[in-house]
Amino acid sequence: MFRPSFAVGLIFLAAGTGTSVAATAADTAPRSSWQQGSPESAPGSTAAYDREAERKLLDKANAERAHVGLAALKMDEGLVRAARAHAAEMASQNQISHQFSGEPSLFQRLAASSSLHLNLAGENVAMAGTSDEAHEALMASPPHRDNLLSPKFNVAGFAVFRRGHMLYVAQDFGSSTPSYSVQQAQELVSTSVEQLRTQARMPRLQRVDDRSTQSSACAMAQADSLGAATPPAGAYMLRYTSMQPEALPSNISKVIAQRGLHTYSAGTCYAKTQKYPSGAYWVVLIFY
């Protein structure tokens, strides 16, 4: 009886207001330096990206999602580039892993390859003889199936690198959020502030435009630190980071609901930083 040969691994990461969560990978990273693999890196053997297998795996994944009433994953060229680089590296190492020694993290790889604003990312990796075997193995593993069928993911990049008779598969998933201009982000923040005041049955605050507030937000982003902004005398300053500028941290509601406040200004700055490789909004609120 023929038994297919395959192996799978999983990683799941989440980015929110300055935090990330990683699950333990099913495989261990080898002790080696990282270098992007190349289709020509194996003289005398067949080594190349298998675009037909990539298409089949995406079609199969979307068919599974449709079966349970989920929207299809949209292919993103940037995520495909990141997945292909990693699949080629796994082929050159002849093993699967989510991060080889010296290789950037998943979020860093995706951020370097894609312009999307991602607040969630995940990855499946597999090694199998055919794309059908890889898909069946991933669907048979609950955590990998969870990635494929997660309602939180809406974009993906699938890569298959063929070396000899073996396929090395990398499936990168993401949750892409809308991209806002500075003015749009400030309006979202202001709307949330006004809603909190209404809920607290406090008078509406007057919003004023203050370039220094905007400069403070961008100073934080440039320094990659909330401490880069200092409050002016006689004012309250609230600072936070978020992939969704309208999502005010719960601990600031008491400040916004205080009596005695009359005016406020808002500043927002979106940036990709070392702490937030996929990007985040740096927000400053100053109350008078």
Side-chain angles (χ1 to χ4, degrees):
M1 179 178 177
F2 172 72
R3 295 180 181 274
S5 173
F6 58 81
V8 294
L10 164 79
I11 191 170
F12 183 86
L13 300 175
T17 56
T19 62
S20 64
V21 180
T24 303
D27 51 299
T28 57
R31 297 177 180 176
S32 64
S33 61
W34 180 79
Q35 182 178 1
Q36 180 174 334
S38 166
E40 290 77 37
S41 62
S45 65
T46 302
Y49 296 112
D50 191 330
R51 288 168 172 77
E52 177 63 19
E54 292 173 352
R55 184 192 61 78
K56 286 181 63 177
L57 283 173
L58 183 61
D59 288 347
K60 285 178 176 292
N62 281 334
E64 300 280 6
R65 291 174 67 87
H67 184 68
V68 294
L70 295 175
L73 295 167
K74 296 181 180 179
M75 183 184 71
D76 175 71
E77 291 295 339
L79 300 188
V80 171
R81 285 193 296 271
R84 283 178 176 167
H86 190 64
E89 180 60 20
M90 291 193 298
S92 72
Q93 299 283 352
N94 195 30
Q95 58 185 305
I96 62 172
S97 176
H98 291 291
Q99 185 176 12
F100 292 97
S101 178
E103 183 184 21
S105 68
L106 174 61
F107 260 127
Q108 290 171 328
R109 286 190 273 124
L110 300 188
S113 299
S114 177
S115 60
L116 295 177
H117 291 189
L118 300 175
N119 69 343
L120 195 69
E123 181 175 78
N124 289 344
V125 296
M127 185 171 64
T130 68
S131 59
D132 287 341
E133 290 175 6
H135 177 74
E136 291 171 5
L138 291 167
M139 286 297 294
S141 169
H144 301 87
R145 178 187 174 92
D146 287 347
N147 268 355
L148 286 162
L149 300 183
S150 172
K152 296 180 180 179
F153 293 137
N154 54 19
V155 292
F158 285 10
V160 177
F161 192 90
R162 179 181 295 277
R163 186 170 186 177
H165 299 291
M166 191 60 63
L167 299 181
Y168 294 82
V169 178
Q171 298 177 329
D172 288 343
F173 306 90
S175 173
S176 179
T177 60
S179 175
Y180 301 114
S181 67
V182 170
Q183 183 177 358
Q184 288 173 326
Q186 289 178 356
E187 290 296 332
L188 288 170
V189 172
S190 296
T191 298
S192 295
V193 169
E194 292 165 6
Q195 288 175 345
L196 274 176
R197 290 287 292 184
T198 299
Q199 291 170 5
R201 297 183 179 180
M202 290 288 105
R204 184 183 181 126
L205 300 177
Q206 180 183 358
R207 178 184 165 191
V208 297
D209 292 328
D210 188 341
R211 292 184 179 179
S212 65
T213 307
Q214 179 63 28
S215 297
S216 294
C218 290
M220 293 192 309
Q222 185 174 5
D224 204 6
S225 171
L226 293 175
T230 56
Y236 291 103
M237 174 181 277
L238 302 177
R239 299 159 288 189
Y240 66 93
T241 58
S242 176
M243 279 302 301
Q244 298 171 310
E246 71 276 18
L248 302 179
S250 58
N251 60 345
I252 74 171
S253 59
K254 292 183 179 179
V255 176
I256 295 177
Q258 284 188 33
R259 296 182 182 274
L261 299 180
H262 303 286
T263 62
Y264 76 100
S265 60
T268 63
C269 191
Y270 183 87
K272 292 183 177 182
T273 67
Q274 185 175 356
K275 288 181 181 177
Y276 304 97
S278 290
Y281 289 94
W282 297 75
V283 182
V284 172
L285 284 167
I286 298 179
F287 296 89
Y288 300 91

